[in-house]
Amino acid sequence: MAGTALSVLTPYLSERVEPIVVAEFGVVGMTRNAADPWLWHSADGLPYRYSLDRPDHETDPSEIEIVERTAGRMMRCDIGLHVFVSDVAGRPVLGRLAQRVAEKTEGWVFVEFRTRPSASLLEHFESNGRCIRVEDHVYLDAPAMAAWYAHPAFHVVK
């Protein structure tokens, strides 16, 4: 599947999360496709979709344990946010959407980097929110994700 995705682990069940995700798609300016309610389009016509899965759908259980220990809560849902094109123009919307969904669901955004993040970037996350370091990627809470989204080096890895 082409495109770019971000994942948000949340302690809430999918039944509670879905209305939040739907509302946040609208807040960032997307419209729902009448023929396929899972498909959304941004103002510039890029196609987006979300999925609601078990936390271990694509996340290693050992990493889920780390997030749960830090959050102090069990993770119950993995919210997948996906833009179906590899065009970098869709990635800022995806990042903002992930940040907003994490904020509303007490979630943690899985973030990969092009290269290993510098100590100063990790400190930036930690001074603005909470950051869980796991090898060459991190899980960011909503305030740390907002700091990443606003950072000049912000990017989303395909």
Side-chain angles (χ1 to χ4, degrees), residues 14-25:
S14 60
E15 294 81 15
R16 182 171 177 185
V17 167
E18 187 164 24
I20 294 168
V21 174
V22 167
E24 292 308 316
F25 266 76

Side-chain angles (χ1 to χ4, degrees), residues 4-125:
T4 303
L6 282 174
S7 175
V8 180
L9 290 174
T10 177
Y12 299 132
L13 295 171
S14 60
E15 294 81 15
R16 182 171 177 185
V17 167
E18 187 164 24
I20 294 168
V21 174
V22 167
E24 292 308 316
F25 266 76
V27 168
V28 298
M30 293 196 206
T31 56
R32 199 175 219 167
N33 184 312
D36 179 354
W38 291 90
L39 188 62
W40 294 73
H41 289 93
S42 62
D44 55 357
L46 297 178
Y48 292 78
R49 179 173 278 211
Y50 69 90
S51 63
L52 304 172
D53 300 295
R54 293 181 335 271
D56 62 355
H57 176 70
E58 290 189 359
T59 305
D60 184 287
S62 65
E63 289 186 20
I64 295 169
E65 288 178 22
I66 295 167
V67 173
E68 289 175 338
R69 201 168 35 253
T70 302
R73 300 176 76 178
M74 175 186 256
M75 295 297 116
R76 298 179 184 273
C77 185
D78 178 353
I79 306 164
L81 304 170
H82 191 89
V83 58
F84 286 99
V85 294
S86 294
D87 185 343
V88 295
R91 295 176 185 175
V93 172
L94 193 67
R96 181 68 174 141
L97 183 60
Q99 183 273 321
R100 291 186 59 85
V101 167
E103 179 179 16
K104 303 290 184 187
T105 66
E106 299 179 49
W108 293 81
V109 182
F110 172 78
V111 176
E112 288 183 280
F113 299 95
R114 289 186 189 116
T115 60
R116 185 175 219 91
S118 67
S120 65
L121 182 57
L122 293 169
E123 289 170 10
H124 177 70
F125 296 150

